[in-house]
Amino acid sequence: MLKLKKELGFSDLLFASITGVIGSGWIFGAYYTAEVVGPASIISWILGAIFIFLLAISWGEIGSLFPASGGVARYMKYTNGALANAISGWASIVEAIMLPAVESIATVSIIQMLLSKVNISVVFVNASGLPTPLGAVASFLLVLLFFTLSYRGIRNTARVNIVVNYTRFIIMPLFIIIAIYAALSMNLASNLTTPSFAPYGYTPIFTALPSTGVIFSYLGFRQAIDVAGEAKKPAKDLWRALILTVVITGILYTLFQVVLVLGMVWNSSAAGTLGVMPGDWAGLTTSLPMASFPLFDLAYGLKISYMAWLVGVAGFMSTAGVASMYLASTPRILFGMSKEGYLSRHFERLSEKYRIPVFGLLATLVVTIILLIMGVAGVFVTSVGGFWIALTSIGTSTLLFAYSTGPLVTAILRRKLPEHQRPFKIPAYFAITMISFVITTLLIYWGAGSLFSSEDPYGGYMLIILILVGALIYPTYNNKKSSDIKSGIWMIIYLLTFLPILYLGSYQTNILPFPYDWIAEIILGSIFFLWAIYSSLPTETIKSEIDKILGSAAENE
């Protein structure tokens, strides 16, 4: 029987996660966050990094304890049974399978902008942020290129990651330093308080986290977890790669937001902000020329055009790199779900020559094509923007839900298997895991709320229903047990509680106004965290499941 190759070292795991994190978020996220929050958007990125760090250390402990390909979509089964894992695994798949389409559209948007600077007019993405038919075709050709690379093995993707990251690590810090110096030289420091530091209040600092690309940008740290089954020394390398990824990218993203706020040149044709007056952060919409690649135009506004083209290169490599990484990792998530007995055994089929999950790779390509067609049809839109912001909002909330299982699994294993040797252990595990779960509950609520718009008054509800669709996967599971219902029913009820609070809360009828809707989610998050722990599978069952996966890992899946 063919096995996955164990050929990834520490640097490969680190670069896999960094490539997954630094994609289109630094290109568009800072712009959309400034639009919604103003200068206080800097705080949003700091908070986002802290929240993700809390999640990442939980996943670092689990992944180092028992690495598994597609682990994010698998671990819940070992503690709370097949029903809970069907839902969380489905949520993980939804986000991952969207990313090639999201990042390929971001890539062609950058190409469109770069070509316009040399007087070549093509429209891949229109003023509403939606892909044109030409943009969809260009995106597909790009994805097809990465499909070919991924088909030829994970080592090819790892090589691409190394080139992408070394190039970006030269350009990005250089740009940040030069841009901040140029902004201060032009006396633009007043941007930090124009018209005030938080012109729209402090609530958007939090609600923008899932809706403007902040949390979405950080979520790519999962890549090291998803390919852990192909790591040489996962127990030693995985947790270090995850923690270092969040620290490095947290610093970079925060500095990019500082650059955008500090370096904003108002009412400038060079900067792409003509008609937007000083302090009108809400005027930074998708219709502005600057929206196609904000930091590129910002460089022109700061009169450092020589840096703009280097930023253009880094931007192209970032979005293309993430598209390539997700084309490689998504088939491994499908592989993991199949190994657990949910999906067709076809998803376990490996290429004889390259030993990659070829059926999952084909499925990812097909879904990418469907999403691109839906984008052209104008299916995806939110109150903030078009295709990119809509799919990132959906993907953020679905993957946050899948990620929320990490703190749960960590807490359950600590309680039920305290004697297991752990290469990495988080301190004060119960407090940290509970706080992480509650924060994730709030982020899901804010993300669902952001999907309500005049064009789609049911968007927030549909997001929750989309996650609940995962329960329909459970009937396909071939080894059902009565304990699956007992240990997993909390998850369905937990998701259903979002619906009335979304309706009653500040996003809809305001019967339960801010901050009471937030307080309600905090209380519910705490209750369901405890319910999930105390309804988990018996210790002997969990131990048996863990022994199986450790044995499978030893045999290389």
Side-chain angles (χ1 to χ4, degrees):
M1 184 178 179
L2 294 174
K3 307 293 183 182
L4 295 170
K5 292 182 179 179
K6 284 185 176 291
E7 54 183 350
L8 301 180
F10 169 73
S11 61
D12 295 318
L13 294 176
L14 177 64
F15 285 153
S17 282
I18 288 179
T19 299
V21 173
I22 306 179
S24 56
W26 72 278
I27 298 168
F28 302 113
Y31 181 83
Y32 287 121
T33 310
E35 175 193 355
V36 173
V37 185
S41 52
I42 296 167
I43 306 299
S44 295
W45 288 95
I46 295 172
L47 289 175
I50 293 171
F51 294 165
I52 292 299
F53 181 83
L54 293 176
L55 283 173
I57 58 176
S58 288
W59 284 103
E61 178 170 326
I62 304 166
S64 299
L65 177 61
F66 50 105
S69 292
V72 175
R74 301 174 71 176
Y75 292 134
M76 197 68 192
K77 175 176 176 285
Y78 312 140
T79 59
N80 289 82
L83 173 60
N85 194 71
I87 302 171
S88 62
W90 162 253
S92 178
I93 291 171
V94 168
E95 188 271 348
I97 213 161
M98 284 181 177
L99 262 292
V102 171
E103 298 299 335
S104 63
I105 286 295
T107 304
V108 298
S109 176
I110 291 169
I111 294 172
Q112 171 183 317
M113 185 278 305
L114 294 176
L115 290 175
S116 71
K117 296 299 181 181
V118 292
N119 298 317
I120 299 176
S121 179
V122 292
V123 182
F124 293 139
V125 180
N126 63 30
S128 299
L130 299 174
T132 63
L134 180 62
V137 171
S139 297
F140 169 72
L141 293 175
L142 190 66
V143 169
L144 198 59
L145 170 63
F146 296 134
F147 173 89
T148 304
L149 284 174
S150 297
Y151 180 77
R152 296 178 67 85
I154 191 69
R155 172 52 57 190
N156 283 316
T157 304
R159 291 191 184 108
V160 170
N161 291 341
I162 290 171
V163 173
V164 166
N165 282 298
Y166 277 125
T167 303
R168 293 188 303 184
F169 284 153
I170 294 171
I171 295 174
M172 288 178 168
L174 183 64
F175 171 71
I176 288 169
I177 293 168
I178 292 174
I180 290 177
Y181 177 80
L184 294 175
S185 299
M186 293 174 65
N187 299 314
L188 295 176
S190 60
N191 278 339
L192 292 170
T193 54
T194 303
S196 67
F197 183 65
Y200 311 115
Y202 288 93
T203 300
I205 292 175
F206 298 94
T207 56
L209 290 173
S211 63
T212 62
V214 177
I215 294 297
F216 165 80
S217 300
Y218 289 123
L219 291 180
F221 78 82
R222 69 177 287 170
Q223 297 302 320
I225 303 168
D226 287 333
V227 299
E230 292 154 275
K232 297 174 185 175
K233 300 177 181 178
K236 177 184 177 183
D237 295 338
L238 181 59
W239 66 270
R240 295 189 299 143
L242 293 178
I243 290 175
L244 197 54
T245 293
V246 177
V247 171
I248 291 172
T249 57
I251 292 170
L252 275 175
Y253 272 125
T254 301
L255 288 175
F256 276 124
Q257 189 68 58
V258 170
V259 166
L260 188 130
V261 170
L262 192 64
M264 183 62 64
V265 180
W266 302 97
N267 195 25
S268 163
S269 57
T273 58
L274 195 64
V276 184
M277 296 298 107
D280 182 16
W281 299 98
L284 302 179
T285 63
T286 57
S287 61
L288 278 185
M290 188 185 202
S292 60
F293 194 163
L295 294 176
F296 186 98
D297 283 318
L298 182 134
Y300 268 88
L302 292 174
K303 301 176 182 178
I304 51 171
S305 56
Y306 58 94
M307 283 304 303
W309 289 94
L310 286 177
V311 169
V313 170
F316 174 84
M317 297 185 77
S318 295
T319 54
V322 174
S324 173
M325 190 65 240
Y326 271 90
L327 268 172
S329 66
T330 303
R332 286 154 177 83
I333 298 170
L334 297 171
F335 173 90
M337 287 291 281
S338 179
K339 290 285 286 187
E340 296 304 329
Y342 294 99
L343 303 178
S344 166
R345 298 297 295 269
H346 289 298
F347 288 102
E348 295 177 51
R349 185 181 300 170
L350 302 181
S351 159
E352 289 191 18
K353 184 174 182 180
Y354 300 111
R355 298 192 195 178
I356 59 99
V358 64
F359 198 80
L361 186 59
L362 286 168
T364 304
L365 180 65
V366 170
V367 172
T368 299
I369 295 170
I370 293 170
L371 288 173
L372 291 173
I373 293 171
M374 292 173 69
V376 172
V379 172
F380 301 108
V381 66
T382 73
S383 57
V384 179
F387 185 86
W388 187 87
I389 198 68
L391 281 189
T392 57
S393 295
I394 295 168
T396 296
S397 295
T398 54
L399 187 55
L400 275 171
F401 173 72
Y403 275 168
S404 71
T405 63
L408 287 173
V409 174
T410 300
I412 292 168
L413 292 180
R414 282 288 196 96
R415 287 172 58 84
K416 299 211 168 184
L417 300 177
E419 74 284 353
H420 269 59
Q421 292 298 313
R422 290 167 170 80
F424 170 68
K425 294 175 68 174
I426 61 175
Y429 81 90
F430 193 83
I432 287 177
T433 54
M434 186 171 187
I435 290 169
S436 299
F437 187 82
V438 170
I439 289 173
T440 306
T441 299
L442 280 170
L443 289 168
I444 294 170
Y445 175 66
W446 297 334
S450 73
L451 291 173
F452 291 117
S453 67
S454 56
E455 294 86 355
D456 186 3
Y458 306 107
Y461 306 129
M462 295 307 297
L463 172 70
I464 303 302
I465 293 170
L466 175 64
I467 299 174
L468 278 166
V469 166
L472 300 179
I473 295 176
Y474 177 67
T476 70
Y477 183 62
N478 53 24
N479 190 23
K480 302 179 189 67
K481 300 174 183 177
S482 59
S483 58
D484 293 335
I485 306 299
K486 178 183 176 184
S487 297
I489 193 65
W490 68 269
M491 186 175 281
I492 293 177
I493 299 173
Y494 167 71
L495 286 166
L496 289 174
T497 62
F498 281 100
L499 299 176
I501 296 180
L502 282 168
Y503 176 76
L504 296 171
S506 52
Y507 287 105
Q508 289 285 277
T509 60
N510 208 36
I511 295 171
L512 190 67
F514 169 81
Y516 300 108
D517 53 345
W518 292 22
I519 293 172
E521 289 294 357
I522 291 171
I523 293 171
L524 286 169
S526 302
I527 291 171
F528 281 100
F529 176 82
L530 296 174
W531 185 354
I533 290 176
Y534 288 106
S535 66
S536 59
L537 297 172
T539 300
E540 286 306 311
T541 304
I542 293 175
K543 187 176 186 303
S544 174
E545 292 286 353
I546 298 302
D547 288 342
K548 285 180 186 177
I549 193 63
L550 288 175
S552 180
E555 296 172 5
N556 201 16
E557 299 282 5

